[in-house]
Amino acid sequence: MSKKLRPETIVVSAGRPEVSPDGDINPAISMNSTFHAGGPIGYGRSGNSTWSALEEAISALEGGQTVSFSSGIAATNAVFSLLPRGSVITASKHSYTGTMSLLAGLAESGRAEVRYVDISDTKEVIAALPGTNLLWIESPTNPGMEVADIPTLIKAAKAAGAGVGVDNTFATPLLQKPLELGADISLHSVTKYLAGHSDLIMGSISSNDPALITRLIESRRLSGAIPGPFEAWLALRGIRTLAVRFERAQANAMELAKRLSDHPAIERVRYPGLPTDPHHEMAKSFMKGFGAIVCVEVKGGPDAADKACASSELVTYATSLGGVETLWERRHRWSSEAPTIPYNLVRISVGIESVEDIWADIDQALRKSQA
Ligand SMILES: *Cc1c(COP(=O)(O)O)cnc(C)c1O
């Protein structure tokens, strides 16, 4: 087969066992802590054939080679832990809260200097690059929904001698491929869109740099941040439908963003797919779509926003994102959320249900929030 398969085909066909008569069409769940002596793996903390199948599929989507981890945060921590003491990390001031807590910890312990930037302000990021060891890009940002000029930032960072990592969780490789744009790392919380069913926690790192991959495998082995074989199997099963799930979720998100823009209980909608969004032109210039996260600021402040979330009947009131079900939450119910994120901001992870049913529920909940 040609190597030029499209992503919709790759998600279905990658990571399959070799064809043999009566052979498995799906990878086996390899439940083993140890293996017969004489091979390159030897022990279950060093490798597992079910991880390999999943890693092969993610590599086919992102490019490069992939190392899977027990969680997205374990993957992020593995990247940061490779930096020598005294390194400078330039990162988005709006990022996943766990990432921000890791960065704050590195700064507080004196292990690293962290420069926080508005990742959508290209000039500001470039000005912070001299002396930077690692530029950490999350785009679109969680939950600010700012979009970074990833192609320009990667070029500038490389010219300044900095490594670049992109947290590609929100966009997925269906919308942008950081390694093709020159990034050293593309990271996923596999928990979210790749696995897609809110039933497991996993992470991954893809890279074109074999030496970096070797160091990450070693870090996984020695930190013990290894995924369970069953989780890896489920994640690969989830990837089979990634393209259709994402297509539907994204279409639903666009429709909801438009309707929410006219809703009397909404002050502001943040979704780069809206032509009026400040990040629309940037997103359009290099992304293949706008994703399925919509953030709204609810009239009446945090209390009204909480009331809306608690009033939904179909839409799940919970944290996390990227599953088949629509769910929402007010982000500042977490004390670790960035202070510059508005207190009335609700993040909606749009699922694949009928958009009319989602809309009817969100509309009634928002109306209750204003009563
Ligand atoms: C959830 C999330 C993470 C952390 O992943 P876990 O799988 O929960 O450990 C990292 N980055 C982003 C953007 C996320 O949404």
Side-chain angles (χ1 to χ4, degrees), residues 166-188:
V166 177
D167 184 330
N168 209 23
T169 301
F170 269 38
T172 84
L174 301 175
L175 303 191
Q176 65 192 18
K177 295 175 72 171
L179 300 186
E180 277 185 2
L181 297 170
D184 299 287
I185 279 171
S186 180
L187 177 140
H188 280 279

Side-chain angles (χ1 to χ4, degrees), residues 62-65 178-180 182-185 206-213:
E62 287 280 355
Q65 286 175 273
L179 300 186
E180 277 185 2
D184 299 287
I185 279 171
S206 305
S207 176
N208 279 318
D209 177 349
L212 182 57
I213 289 289

Side-chain angles (χ1 to χ4, degrees), residues 203-278:
S204 72
I205 299 172
S206 305
S207 176
N208 279 318
D209 177 349
L212 182 57
I213 289 289
T214 303
R215 291 178 75 198
L216 289 166
I217 291 172
E218 190 66 353
S219 161
R220 175 177 66 181
R221 187 173 74 82
L222 295 176
S223 67
I226 54 168
F230 184 52
E231 279 73 8
W233 186 89
L234 270 180
L236 180 54
R237 192 183 206 275
I239 284 178
R240 300 295 180 222
T241 56
L242 171 66
V244 283
R245 282 187 285 109
F246 206 70
E247 189 179 316
R248 167 68 87 89
Q250 196 167 231
N252 283 353
M254 187 70 224
E255 184 59 30
L256 290 174
K258 279 189 207 150
R259 295 188 192 184
L260 285 162
S261 302
D262 293 328
H263 199 283
I266 296 300
E267 277 170 1
R268 178 178 169 192
V269 178
R270 297 176 181 229
Y271 183 64
L274 291 172
T276 49
D277 188 89

